[in-house]
Amino acid sequence: MEDEDDCPELVPIDTQPAAPAQQIPVTIITGYLGAGKTTLLNYILTEQHNKRIAVILNEFGEGSALEKSLAVSQAGELYEEWLELRNGCLCCSVKDNGLKAIENLMEKKGKFDYILLETTGLADPGAVASMFWVEAELGSDIYLDGIVTVIDAKYGLQQVKEEKADGRINEAARQIALADLTIINKTDLVNEEELNRVRDTVRSINGLVKIVETQRSRVELSEVLDLHSFDDEDGAKFAEKLQLVKPTRSHLDKTILTVTFEVTGDLCEEALNAFIQDLLWEKKFRNKEGEPMTVIRLKGIVSLAGKAHQVMLQGVHELYELNETPQLWEANSRINRLVFIGRNLNKDILQEHFISSVVLNTGQK
Ligand SMILES: Nc1nc2c(ncn2[C@@H]2O[C@H](COP(=O)(O)OP(=O)(O)OP(=O)(O)O)[C@@H](O)[C@H]2O)c(=O)[nH]1
Ligand SMILES: [Zn+2]
């Protein structure tokens, strides 16, 4: 028997390797069971486009948590490989095998232009997303382009509202919180009023997300691909977008919502790192009820002391990044703008912590 750590050999086919260089975008497609993820993938693959798209399905085989299928479709041909997982855990399995498998595949078949990865309905896409994000940092061939969450217009609401045992985060709500784009699918099954309710609920969770509505997941490709949700190519657009974010008010108890605030003044970079780490890693901040604040997605434009350029803050799951953008601050307009999506968030408490620990007194040196 072969070493378990090894990836299975992938089907060799005759294609000449594409020209090297250039990172390949990966879009993570998530959504609750039966929402229409596979329908979306099939739709994208059959649409007219000039891309070589690899599709990775991360699904556990029926009756066995030890297998998942890796299906790669290209120009209508479908290859399937079964990868052994040692421990039923998706993020680890993707980390141990999935990425290697993708890389092996690219070595053998030449590069793809795009990768779509469908996660299982119950997986935490945050873990998967942060893994691809880290890989890009480490010089991998792949970078995370965006997270797309498909929602069932008919059953989505019910799925989001379901209370989980032991106070665990509702997965359907978490998937919406993480998303850059949500696709409310199966609109044929609901009336306008029901659709409005779904839309409002999505908005109540995630104040940043873009929403489209579909039947059979038929969406403009340009709405799904090349979102560049995690790069800082265009700091200006990013800052503009943050300005439009409205805080959300939850319809439901204990659910996830969006909190945003603006603060003037320069920030101490070290203290900012400590603040974010306390928030994301240590879960040190608590709301009025004493429950720990949990942040799922974090974005911001910040003004670091001594830096002429705007700095973009991005966070997913437990990972975050601060990157200088090409945008220069205009005189007297250095405003820090932060957006937090998560659970048990209290804006006033967060803002107070932020001001007292991170903001330097202007004028004081
Ligand atoms: N009525 C209706 N049915 C749809 C629509 N889109 C998809 N479906 C059906 O819904 C079912 C589930 O769709 P899938 O694309 O397999 O959903 P999925 O999210 O990949 O499901 P899992 O992988 O099992 O979590 C299928 O029977 C689809 O044909 C739609 O817009 N309207
Ligand atoms: Zn599916």
Short mmCIF file of all heavy atoms in Angstrom, two decimals, residues 65 87 127 129 135 151 242 245 306 311 352 358:
data_model
loop_
_atom_site.label_atom_id
_atom_site.label_comp_id
_atom_site.label_asym_id
_atom_site.label_seq_id
_atom_site.Cartn_x
_atom_site.Cartn_y
_atom_site.Cartn_z
N ALA A 65 -17.11 8.63 5.21
CA ALA A 65 -16.48 9.93 5.43
C ALA A 65 -15.02 9.86 4.99
O ALA A 65 -14.26 10.79 5.18
CB ALA A 65 -16.58 10.32 6.89
N ASN A 87 -8.84 11.65 8.09
CA ASN A 87 -9.64 12.09 9.25
C ASN A 87 -10.90 12.84 8.87
O ASN A 87 -10.98 13.85 9.08
CB ASN A 87 -8.80 13.02 10.12
CG ASN A 87 -8.28 14.19 9.36
OD1 ASN A 87 -8.79 14.50 8.31
ND2 ASN A 87 -7.30 14.85 9.88
N ALA A 127 -12.43 28.19 6.80
CA ALA A 127 -11.18 27.45 6.94
C ALA A 127 -10.56 27.18 5.58
O ALA A 127 -9.36 27.33 5.39
CB ALA A 127 -11.45 26.13 7.68
N ALA A 129 -11.13 28.88 2.80
CA ALA A 129 -10.72 30.15 2.21
C ALA A 129 -9.38 30.62 2.78
O ALA A 129 -8.49 31.02 2.03
CB ALA A 129 -11.79 31.21 2.45
N GLU A 135 -1.75 30.09 1.21
CA GLU A 135 -0.95 29.51 0.14
C GLU A 135 -0.47 30.58 -0.83
O GLU A 135 0.66 30.56 -1.28
CB GLU A 135 -1.76 28.47 -0.63
CG GLU A 135 -1.97 27.17 0.13
CD GLU A 135 -0.66 26.50 0.52
OE1 GLU A 135 0.23 26.40 -0.34
OE2 GLU A 135 -0.54 26.08 1.68
N ILE A 151 -27.82 30.46 -1.95
CA ILE A 151 -28.86 30.34 -0.94
C ILE A 151 -30.15 29.86 -1.60
O ILE A 151 -30.51 30.33 -2.68
CB ILE A 151 -29.12 31.71 -0.27
CG1 ILE A 151 -27.83 32.21 0.38
CG2 ILE A 151 -30.25 31.63 0.76
CD1 ILE A 151 -27.88 33.69 0.66
N LEU A 242 -16.40 50.50 1.25
CA LEU A 242 -16.54 50.47 2.70
C LEU A 242 -17.42 51.61 3.20
O LEU A 242 -18.16 51.47 4.16
CB LEU A 242 -15.17 50.57 3.38
CG LEU A 242 -14.27 49.35 3.32
CD1 LEU A 242 -13.12 49.50 4.30
CD2 LEU A 242 -15.02 48.07 3.60
N VAL A 245 -21.09 50.82 3.34
CA VAL A 245 -21.58 49.77 4.23
C VAL A 245 -22.43 50.36 5.35
O VAL A 245 -22.05 51.32 6.00
CB VAL A 245 -20.41 49.00 4.87
CG1 VAL A 245 -20.93 48.00 5.89
CG2 VAL A 245 -19.62 48.29 3.79
N GLY A 306 2.74 57.53 10.26
CA GLY A 306 3.97 57.56 9.46
C GLY A 306 3.82 57.05 8.04
O GLY A 306 4.76 57.05 7.28
N VAL A 311 -3.93 52.00 4.11
CA VAL A 311 -3.62 50.59 4.35
C VAL A 311 -4.93 49.82 4.44
O VAL A 311 -5.88 50.23 5.12
CB VAL A 311 -2.79 50.41 5.65
CG1 VAL A 311 -2.65 48.94 6.00
CG2 VAL A 311 -1.42 51.06 5.48
N GLU A 352 -14.89 51.50 21.48
CA GLU A 352 -14.19 52.00 22.67
C GLU A 352 -12.82 51.35 22.82
O GLU A 352 -11.82 52.03 23.05
CB GLU A 352 -15.01 51.67 23.92
CG GLU A 352 -15.66 52.86 24.58
CD GLU A 352 -16.71 52.39 25.58
OE1 GLU A 352 -16.34 51.61 26.49
OE2 GLU A 352 -17.88 52.78 25.43
N VAL A 358 -5.73 51.71 20.23
CA VAL A 358 -5.04 51.73 18.94
C VAL A 358 -4.79 53.13 18.38
O VAL A 358 -3.81 53.38 17.71
CB VAL A 358 -5.86 50.90 17.90
CG1 VAL A 358 -5.14 50.86 16.58
CG2 VAL A 358 -6.10 49.49 18.42
#
